Amino acid sequence: MNRHEQLAGHFVERLRILPALLLLFASACKSGPKDAGFVLRADAATQTAERNAALDTSRRTAIVDAASQVGPSVVSINAMTRRQVETPSMFDFFIPQTQEQLVPVGGTGFIIRADGVIITNQHVVAGAERVIVTLRDGTDLPARVLGEDPITDIAVLKVERAGLPTARIGRSRDLLIGEWVVALGNPFAFLLGNSEPTVTAGVISASGRNILPTRDQAGLYLDMIQTDAAINPGNSGGPLANSLGEIIGVNSSIFSSTGGSVGLGFAIPIERAMRVADEIVRNGEVRRAWVGLEVAGAESMADWKAQGGVVVVSVAPGGPAARAQINPRDVLVEANGRKLRNFLDWEAVKLDLHVGDSVRLRLRQGSTVTDRLIVTGDLPTVTSEKVSVLRGIDLITVTPGVRAERGLRSDQGALIFRITSQIAQATGLRSGDVILAVNRTMIRRAEDVGQIFSTAPQRQPIRVHIERAGQYAFTDLVFR
């Protein structure tokens, strides 16, 4: 076959496949507009998804992330507390009537251990007979109070549940004034209808705030974190978190003339709360460190600039301060590097001390500035021997150390270290009272009270003379 015949054969073969090519082309032409529409719709869907993703990114701020990280660990607390409540009566104008009732108290807490250890404020569960913890999903769990510390206003609860979500703990020592924070809690208990924690946002307004105690304030609110994040009744015990979702404080109190938030909220530094919680979990209570000196109190607040420090008014004989050669009328200028402006600064230093910690003091003795080192010890009332009487009262003998620790006027007697609520109600005596005399017999040791009570005649009143809060009083007891 010559070259021309080969070319003719190839041409005929291509003519045979031409109809198939034309059919394929026609089919492509028919489907073209439909596929083009699909491409256009795919592009529109992609653009919508991109817009939604961009919107989601713009809405998911650091505050949203912080709230989502901390929220699962926040719990609501309902404590049933027995209190004296005024009851309506037509004679209320003359004699107000009161009746003891179980009253619900609402608060907040947060989980610090997956096995159910929870931190809250002590004033939320003070005197509670029953405590119920509600998880974020609405589950109710009975809780035990592992321990309370009224001085720092921290309490620790325990629920029997494993695998609970825990909070990430941060630090409060390097807070930035103006940085974002979120407060989570259970305002006004369950009046809002569910157990989902409320989130409010604000900034760190100040740090190191010392709140001057009032007469009915048991806790010492020192070195507090101030925030304008809304904190309302029921938020007590809830967490204050930074923008990283780390808990930096425990919401505890507000300044308000209305009872609601006005932008002056305060939180306990998380380092203090965790230290107290750790001691309660390990020991069931908090061991207070003793330095063995007292300083001028609220009456000297107006003179702090002129004094240039805190004036020592008394030193316990043989105590840590005495061993460090500190004397009355010395002026404390610094403690552990912290400048002391008034007695609240000094109380803040003591509040965060462990037993056995050292305190480096700079003080002024006359015209000389010198440094001293105090090694703290246990409180004298803790180490003193206890004498039990009436199956519900623990007494300790008043010593110079005990007198200095409690600020007593009397230099002898028996201090009531612990008393049951039943005995307190029956006798009128309280923890902290000093029994000075029974009838006409002076009390010099705790054992004296036990001997007199054990030989007291039946159904005949005996008069117990006491010192209470710096005042002298008496109560009459009858043994049956």
Side-chain angles (χ1 to χ4, degrees):
M1 184 182 293
N2 59 30
R3 179 173 179 79
H4 293 286
E5 290 175 335
Q6 288 179 343
L7 290 175
H10 284 304
F11 180 76
V12 172
E13 189 66 25
R14 292 188 181 187
L15 287 177
R16 288 176 182 170
I17 66 172
L18 181 58
L21 293 174
L22 291 173
L23 182 62
L24 182 60
F25 179 76
S27 176
C29 290
K30 288 181 180 179
S31 63
K34 182 178 179 181
D35 290 343
F38 173 78
V39 172
L40 289 175
R41 283 194 297 272
D43 289 344
T46 301
Q47 291 173 2
T48 301
E50 290 175 349
R51 283 197 301 269
N52 289 339
L55 181 61
D56 184 64
T57 301
S58 66
R59 293 169 62 188
R60 186 165 291 282
T61 64
I63 292 176
V64 173
D65 287 339
S68 65
Q69 292 180 54
V70 179
S73 69
V74 179
V75 300
S76 301
I77 296 172
N78 185 25
M80 299 300 295
T81 304
R82 194 171 297 279
R83 293 182 179 177
Q84 294 292 330
V85 179
E86 290 190 6
T87 56
S89 169
M90 61 181 295
F91 302 107
D92 279 354
F93 182 80
F94 302 100
I95 306 175
Q97 302 295 310
T98 61
Q99 183 179 2
E100 196 175 66
Q101 296 181 359
L102 278 175
V103 177
V105 178
T108 307
F110 56 94
I111 305 166
I112 60 171
R113 279 187 8 190
D115 61 351
V117 177
I118 297 167
I119 284 181
T120 187
N121 280 145
Q122 187 271 340
H123 71 258
V124 171
V125 297
E129 296 187 5
R130 186 171 72 252
V131 179
I132 300 295
V133 165
T134 304
L135 304 181
R136 185 178 183 175
D137 63 5
T139 302
D140 290 334
L141 298 173
R144 291 183 294 119
V145 179
L146 294 184
E148 308 173 50
D149 184 35
I151 299 299
T152 58
D153 196 15
I154 292 294
V156 180
L157 311 180
K158 179 71 168 64
V159 296
E160 298 306 321
R161 181 65 65 89
L164 294 174
T166 59
R168 196 149 53 101
I169 304 301
R171 51 181 292 172
S172 68
R173 299 303 183 192
D174 56 358
L175 294 178
L176 303 175
I177 305 304
E179 71 170 292
W180 285 106
V181 289
V182 292
L184 293 90
N186 182 29
F188 302 103
F190 294 111
L191 295 181
L192 299 183
N194 61 38
S195 55
E196 185 78 13
T198 294
V199 178
T200 55
V203 299
I204 296 293
S205 303
S207 60
R209 292 294 202 202
N210 294 329
I211 303 176
L212 194 64
T214 58
R215 291 182 179 179
D216 58 349
Q217 178 180 310
L220 293 175
Y221 296 104
L222 307 172
D223 264 352
M224 300 290 282
I225 304 166
Q226 182 183 335
T227 180
D228 64 349
I231 297 174
N232 288 291
N235 278 99
S236 292
L240 184 71
N242 61 20
S243 59
L244 300 177
E246 300 169 335
I247 295 181
I248 57 171
V250 181
N251 301 320
S252 62
S253 58
I254 59 174
F255 277 167
S256 174
S257 58
T258 64
S261 174
V262 294
L264 288 172
F266 297 90
I268 301 166
I270 191 61
E271 293 89 346
R272 178 179 302 156
M274 293 299 291
R275 177 184 66 82
V276 171
D278 181 62
E279 286 202 36
I280 288 175
V281 170
R282 286 188 292 108
N283 306 317
E285 60 183 1
V286 178
R287 293 173 63 193
R288 296 253 97 83
W290 186 50
V291 294
L293 65 84
E294 293 297 324
V295 300
E299 70 280 358
S300 66
M301 289 283 284
D303 302 324
W304 70 270
K305 287 185 178 180
Q307 294 168 351
V310 181
V311 178
V312 177
V313 296
S314 65
V315 177
R323 292 193 294 269
Q325 299 180 353
I326 297 174
N327 305 306
R329 294 187 297 278
D330 288 350
V331 179
L332 308 182
V333 178
E334 285 185 8
N336 287 343
R338 173 179 180 149
K339 185 176 180 180
L340 302 179
R341 300 164 300 172
N342 52 56
F343 82 101
L344 293 177
D345 291 327
W346 173 239
E347 291 294 336
V349 172
K350 293 197 301 178
L351 199 58
D352 291 328
L353 292 174
H354 293 272
V355 174
D357 283 352
S358 297
V359 184
R360 296 188 179 278
L361 286 174
R362 173 154 292 185
L363 54 88
R364 193 170 64 247
Q365 295 178 320
S367 58
T368 304
V369 176
T370 184
D371 293 332
R372 292 285 188 270
L373 182 68
I374 295 179
V375 179
T376 65
D378 272 307
L379 295 172
T381 52
V382 173
T383 57
S384 297
E385 182 181 356
K386 312 299 187 297
V387 175
S388 295
V389 299
L390 300 182
R391 297 180 180 178
I393 302 178
D394 288 343
L395 301 173
I396 58 178
T397 301
V398 173
T399 63
V402 171
R403 184 187 182 195
E405 175 198 328
R406 294 295 181 99
L408 304 176
R409 294 176 61 183
S410 306
D411 57 4
Q412 66 179 29
L415 174 76
I416 299 179
F417 180 73
R418 186 179 290 109
I419 183 170
T420 64
S421 58
Q422 294 85 352
I423 297 295
Q425 188 173 4
T427 63
L429 298 172
R430 302 177 188 171
S431 177
D433 288 349
V434 178
I435 300 177
L436 304 174
V438 179
N439 288 334
R440 296 182 179 181
T441 303
M442 301 298 295
I443 301 299
R444 290 179 171 81
R445 302 178 307 150
E447 291 82 356
D448 295 344
V449 178
Q451 293 173 1
I452 294 174
F453 281 1
S454 64
T455 59
Q458 299 289 315
R459 301 184 182 278
Q460 292 186 20
I462 60 174
R463 177 156 292 183
V464 180
H465 298 266
I466 62 173
E467 176 188 336
R468 174 180 293 171
Q471 303 296 319
Y472 296 114
F474 64 86
T475 184
D476 290 328
L477 306 181
V478 177
F479 293 95
R480 292 183 172 86

